[in-house]
Amino acid sequence: MSVFKFKEFDIVQQHSAMKVGTDSVLLGSLLKAASPNKVLDIGTGTGLLALMMAQRFVDALIDAVEIDDQAFEEAAQNITQSKWNTRIKVFHQSLQNFTNQSTGEYDVIVSNPPYYEVEKHYSIGAKNRSHARHTATLSFDELLQNIQQLLTIEGKCWMVLPKTEGALVISKAVMLGLFCVYQIDVYPNTSKPCNRVIFCLSKTQHKTEKDSFFIKDEQGQYSQQYKEVTMSFLLWNK
C-alpha cells in the first residue's frame, strides 16, 4: 500500500489519481487565515489539504468535496483515521451540486484545482490522472462562480496553479467580483523561472501584495524557506 506519512497524519494514496505533491503541501503551508470557523477544500483528492487545514486551524470545521470515486474513498479513509475526524466531512459529489445544496458560507476556501483545458492538451498517463488534471467537469468559470457563492464577505480563497493558468483565473475572477489580494510566485530553484503561483482571492478589492518563494537553493537542496514553512508537516524536516 502506498502511504505518505506526515508528522500528524498519514495519506493512503494507492488508487487516487493525484498523489501527494509539492503544490498542495506548499498551498496548505503558505496560506494565511485568521482563525476561520468554516473551511472548504474543493477537489480534496486524498484529503491532504483538508487534513492540513484541520492541523493548522484547531477550531475550524472543514468540508471537503471530491467527485472522483477512488479519490473520495481514500479521502474518507484518511480523514476517518485521523485525529480530526469529528471536524472534517467529505462529500462525494460535484462542486456544482454541493453548492446548490449548501446552507452555509466559508471563511476560507482552498483548492488545488484541475488546470488543463481539455481542448488544448492531450490526455496524460492513466485515464483517472488525466481526468484529475483536466477541467472536464469543472471549468475555471464554474469554479469561480461557485467560489463566489460559497465565500463569506470577508472570506479568502487560496489556490495554486501553473503560472499561465493562474494569471487566467485571476483575470476571470475580477469579472465575478473576486480580487487577487495576495500572490506568491513559486520558483523551482534560484536559476529557473517561476512556474507556479499561489494566490488569494477576496470579495474586497485592494492592492495585491506580492511575494516570491524558492523551493530549492543554488546547491539543489531544499531552501530554508521551504524547510521553515513545511516544518509542521514533513517528517524529514526536523
Side-chain angles (χ1 to χ4, degrees), residues 7 29 224 226-234 237-238:
K7 286 185 177 177
S29 300
Q224 191 61 33
Y226 187 83
K227 291 176 182 177
E228 287 176 0
V229 301
T230 62
M231 186 175 295
S232 299
F233 299 104
L234 298 180
N237 191 356
K238 304 301 183 183

Side-chain angles (χ1 to χ4, degrees), residues 69-131:
D69 294 344
Q70 292 181 323
F72 166 77
E73 289 176 6
E74 290 192 331
Q77 177 183 350
N78 292 330
I79 288 164
T80 298
Q81 292 178 348
S82 78
K83 58 186 174 183
W84 307 295
N85 54 52
T86 59
R87 291 199 286 120
I88 308 174
K89 293 181 181 179
V90 57
F91 297 83
H92 186 202
Q93 60 187 140
S94 69
L95 176 63
Q96 296 91 329
N97 288 341
F98 177 83
T99 302
N100 289 337
Q101 297 167 15
S102 179
T103 57
E105 294 179 311
Y106 295 88
D107 306 301
V108 171
I109 296 176
V110 60
S111 184
N112 179 3
Y115 51 79
Y116 288 148
E117 293 184 272
V118 175
E119 67 274 17
K120 293 182 181 178
H121 292 265
Y122 53 83
S123 180
I124 50 175
K127 182 179 178 181
N128 61 341
R129 182 173 174 84
S130 177
H131 182 268

Side-chain angles (χ1 to χ4, degrees), residues 17-34:
M18 300 307 293
K19 311 302 184 188
V20 171
T22 303
D23 285 1
S24 287
V25 171
L26 277 181
L27 176 61
S29 300
L30 286 170
L31 72 81
K32 299 178 181 181

Side-chain angles (χ1 to χ4, degrees), residues 63-237:
D63 290 338
V65 182
E66 179 54 57
I67 191 172
D68 180 78
D69 294 344
Q70 292 181 323
F72 166 77
E73 289 176 6
E74 290 192 331
Q77 177 183 350
N78 292 330
I79 288 164
T80 298
Q81 292 178 348
S82 78
K83 58 186 174 183
W84 307 295
N85 54 52
T86 59
R87 291 199 286 120
I88 308 174
K89 293 181 181 179
V90 57
F91 297 83
H92 186 202
Q93 60 187 140
S94 69
L95 176 63
Q96 296 91 329
N97 288 341
F98 177 83
T99 302
N100 289 337
Q101 297 167 15
S102 179
T103 57
E105 294 179 311
Y106 295 88
D107 306 301
V108 171
I109 296 176
V110 60
S111 184
N112 179 3
Y115 51 79
Y116 288 148
E117 293 184 272
V118 175
E119 67 274 17
K120 293 182 181 178
H121 292 265
Y122 53 83
S123 180
I124 50 175
K127 182 179 178 181
N128 61 341
R129 182 173 174 84
S130 177
H131 182 268
R133 282 193 167 182
H134 287 71
T135 61
T137 57
L138 184 64
S139 69
F140 288 145
D141 290 318
E142 289 176 306
L143 175 61
L144 290 167
Q145 288 163 8
N146 283 272
I147 288 169
Q148 205 280 338
Q149 287 181 249
L150 292 166
L151 200 62
T152 63
I153 293 297
E154 299 296 328
K156 300 290 187 291
C157 173
W158 285 86
M159 299 170 66
V160 58
L161 281 167
K163 185 179 179 180
T164 300
E165 285 78 5
L168 175 62
V169 168
I170 289 170
S171 66
K172 284 177 175 287
V174 174
M175 310 215 203
L176 291 170
L178 294 170
F179 307 97
C180 180
V181 295
Y182 195 83
Q183 179 177 323
I184 306 170
D185 292 330
V186 180
Y187 297 78
N189 56 49
T190 54
S191 62
K192 291 185 178 180
C194 166
N195 66 349
R196 288 288 188 275
V197 60
I198 293 173
F199 57 95
C200 176
L201 300 176
S202 169
K203 291 182 177 180
T204 304
Q205 184 177 13
H206 58 77
K207 185 177 179 180
T208 305
E209 183 180 349
K210 293 191 176 183
D211 206 347
S212 297
F213 189 94
F214 296 88
I215 297 173
K216 293 188 176 180
D217 59 23
E218 297 87 344
Q219 288 74 41
Q221 304 299 315
Y222 283 110
S223 68
Q224 191 61 33
Q225 272 185 311
Y226 187 83
K227 291 176 182 177
E228 287 176 0
V229 301
T230 62
M231 186 175 295
S232 299
F233 299 104
L234 298 180
L235 276 173
W236 60 263
N237 191 356

